[in-house]
């Protein structure tokens, strides 16, 4: 992943929970200066446009903001799997594998196969590695996502699966901190929670759980005796009620699935999951991180954002420093990191899934 040669840069992260934006400039020594940070809720075109205007009021002659985009599409597929490296050179092997293992139609997906340890593209001619990551999404979704970005004034110079970029940054962070603690990573979406276990050695487990925030709404309705689910939804996503006490009930079903995944990992590897990191969650749902960590009996991962940015030659300008060290920006920052600059560090997953040509 190489830095842009242009003096100005723009980065965007879009998820179920919100839109994060950053404007950057080159420092002149190969690094980046983060000049500004903005955010907007999902589905509000006016606030989205306002955030863009604050960071880059002067658009390109085309009228678009050229940006590197990290996305978390609903149908993204991220699975760790054991392959037969002896068969990997067979033209139909990966298609057959994905059909059997993931129940998808491979010809309808844009997929990348990465080494699970270093995030490099798996090369059957060079690697005998058995553990790989399958990363991708339906091809039609890429087109619709790019069209949506253009509609909102963003020209995607590069589109990445945010999950892959984030995992790469977390692996790099654990190596930077010389941490050997297996870390459970959760991306809690509307309908699905993507779960991963990572260490400084790479991604060691990946599993989707078909439960997300929507599964918590009926519990809110029942426990608070609300008239309908819509009322429960509005209260849940507002900042007007403290759900900390109700938290263990809300995550009960999810917790059961997580404990099953953790147990399987620990039996297989002999290692214990020792910390938790919940990405993407907006500040108003930040209590979920602590609730799940407490229920699992593990601490939350405390990310020293400023130190990691410095290790990657990325600096926060004073205007961005006030809020910029909050870990919820970590996924956005993962799009900026240049791992190739440090030959001693294992390169992290790149996650490029497509480029918009024009």
């Amino acid at each position: 992943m190489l830095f842009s040669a242009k003096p100005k840069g723009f980065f965007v992260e879009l998820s179920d929970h919100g839109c994060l934006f950053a404007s950057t400039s080159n420092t002149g020594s190969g690094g980046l200066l983060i000049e500004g940070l903005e955010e907007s809720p999902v589905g509000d075109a006016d606030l989205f446009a306002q955030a863009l205007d604050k960071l880059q009021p002067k658009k390109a002659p085309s009228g678009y903001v050229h940006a590197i985009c990290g996305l978390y599409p609903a149908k993204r597929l991220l699975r760790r799997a054991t392959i037969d490296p002896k068969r990997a050179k067979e033209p139909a092997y990966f298609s057959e594998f994905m059909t059997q293992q993931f129940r998808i139609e491979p010809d309808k997906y844009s997929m990348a196969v990465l080494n699970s340890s270093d995030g490099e593209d798996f090369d059957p001619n060079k690697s005998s590695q058995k553990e790989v990551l399958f990363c991708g999404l339906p091809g039609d979704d890429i087109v619709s996502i790019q069209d949506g970005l253009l509609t909102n004034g963003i020209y995607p110079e590069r589109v990445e699966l945010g999950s892959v970029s984030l995992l790469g940054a977390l692996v790099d962070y654990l190596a930077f901190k010389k941490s050997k603690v297996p870390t459970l990573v959760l991306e809690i979406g509307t309908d699905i929670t993507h779960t991963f276990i990572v260490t400084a050695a790479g991604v060691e487990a990946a599993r989707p759980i078909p439960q997300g925030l929507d599964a918590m709404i009926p519990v809110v309705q029942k426990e608070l005796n609300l008239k309908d689910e819509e009322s429960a939804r509005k209260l849940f996503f507002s900042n007007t009620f403290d759900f900390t006490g109700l938290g263990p009930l809300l995550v009960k079903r999810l917790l059961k699935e997580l404990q099953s995944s953790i147990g399987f990992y620990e039996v297989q590897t002999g290692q214990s999951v020792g910390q938790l990191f919940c990405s993407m969650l907006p500040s108003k749902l930040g209590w979920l991180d602590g609730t799940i960590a407490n229920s699992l009996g593990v601490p939350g991962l405390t990310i020293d954002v400023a130190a990691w940015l410095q290790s990657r030659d990325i600096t926060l300008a004073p205007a961005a420093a006030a809020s910029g060290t909050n870990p919820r920006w970590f996924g956005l920052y993962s799009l900026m990191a240049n791992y190739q600059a440090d030959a001693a560090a294992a390169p992290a997953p790149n996650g490029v899934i497509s480029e918009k040509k024009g």
Side-chain angles (χ1 to χ4, degrees):
M1 186 187 303
L2 299 177
F3 289 134
S4 169
K6 294 182 297 185
K8 297 292 184 180
F10 200 83
F11 295 83
V12 179
E13 180 183 85
L14 303 179
S15 73
D16 285 354
H17 309 309
C19 313
L20 302 180
F21 311 91
S23 59
T24 66
S25 61
N26 290 340
T27 60
S29 60
L32 285 182
L33 175 68
I34 300 173
E35 297 181 331
L37 297 170
E38 292 291 337
E39 60 184 305
S40 76
V42 173
D44 192 318
D46 290 338
L47 290 179
F48 189 97
Q50 289 175 25
L52 288 183
D53 287 341
K54 287 180 181 178
L55 291 181
Q56 191 162 328
K58 293 183 179 180
K59 308 296 187 297
S62 63
Y64 293 103
V65 174
H66 289 238
I68 293 171
C69 305
L71 309 174
Y72 297 80
K75 294 182 181 179
R76 66 191 183 278
L77 185 148
L78 293 104
R79 299 292 291 273
R80 187 178 189 268
T82 303
I83 62 168
D84 182 352
K86 294 180 180 179
R87 293 195 58 202
K89 295 180 183 180
E90 298 175 13
Y93 175 67
F94 281 120
S95 291
E96 293 174 0
F97 189 94
M98 288 186 280
T99 300
Q100 295 171 3
Q101 297 294 319
F102 309 141
R103 309 298 184 199
I104 65 170
E105 298 178 62
D107 59 330
K108 294 184 178 180
Y109 274 70
S110 176
M111 296 292 297
V113 183
L114 310 177
N115 299 327
S116 64
S117 59
D118 60 19
E120 292 286 341
D121 289 332
F122 175 79
D123 186 344
N125 295 310
K126 297 180 180 179
S127 176
S128 60
Q129 186 167 326
K130 296 180 180 180
E131 304 303 323
V132 299
L133 283 175
F134 287 85
C135 313
L137 74 162
D140 289 346
D141 286 11
I142 295 178
V143 175
S144 62
I145 287 169
Q146 291 178 326
D147 288 344
L149 288 168
L150 290 169
T151 298
N152 284 287
I154 293 177
Y155 183 95
E157 292 189 339
R158 188 171 78 233
V159 177
E160 301 192 12
L161 279 178
S163 302
V164 183
S165 180
L166 172 71
L167 292 173
L170 284 172
V171 169
D172 183 71
Y173 179 78
L174 294 174
F176 165 65
K177 284 295 187 178
K178 296 181 172 57
S179 171
K180 297 182 179 180
V181 180
T183 303
L184 177 66
V185 182
L186 302 183
E187 294 175 355
I188 305 175
T190 302
D191 304 310
I192 294 178
T193 296
H194 288 273
T195 72
F196 310 94
I197 297 175
V198 302
T199 68
V203 179
E204 305 212 342
R207 178 198 172 199
I209 296 175
Q211 292 179 39
L213 296 176
D214 275 359
M216 302 179 191
I217 303 304
V219 183
V220 173
Q221 181 189 358
K222 178 182 178 182
E223 294 299 321
L224 298 182
N225 196 27
L226 299 173
K227 62 179 181 178
D228 53 39
E229 287 194 6
E230 186 57 31
S231 299
R233 183 182 303 278
K234 289 180 180 179
L235 183 62
F236 182 71
F237 287 103
S238 72
N239 229 0
T240 59
F241 187 85
D242 184 358
F243 281 98
T244 306
L246 195 57
L249 276 176
L250 297 179
V251 302
K252 185 177 181 180
R253 290 178 58 196
L254 177 60
L255 195 68
K256 184 177 180 180
E257 296 289 343
L258 293 176
Q259 288 169 330
S260 175
S261 296
I262 292 171
F264 180 79
Y265 169 79
E266 293 180 343
V267 168
Q268 291 293 106
T269 65
Q271 299 186 85
S272 297
V273 170
Q275 54 194 6
L276 169 75
F277 180 69
C278 289
S279 68
M280 301 194 313
L281 287 178
S283 54
K284 61 187 176 184
L285 293 179
W287 55 269
L288 268 174
D289 193 331
T291 295
I292 296 173
N294 290 336
S295 298
L296 290 173
V298 298
L301 170 64
T302 301
I303 296 182
D304 188 342
V305 174
W308 180 75
L309 287 175
Q310 185 178 23
S311 77
R312 287 293 155 211
D313 203 5
I314 302 172
T315 306
L316 284 166
S323 62
T325 55
N326 190 303
R328 67 193 187 90
W329 295 95
F330 193 72
L332 183 67
Y333 298 154
S334 73
L335 300 170
M336 307 175 187
N338 180 6
Y339 305 104
Q340 295 175 357
D342 183 2
N350 183 317
V352 176
I353 58 175
S354 69
E355 290 187 3
K356 192 75 177 181
K357 304 296 185 183

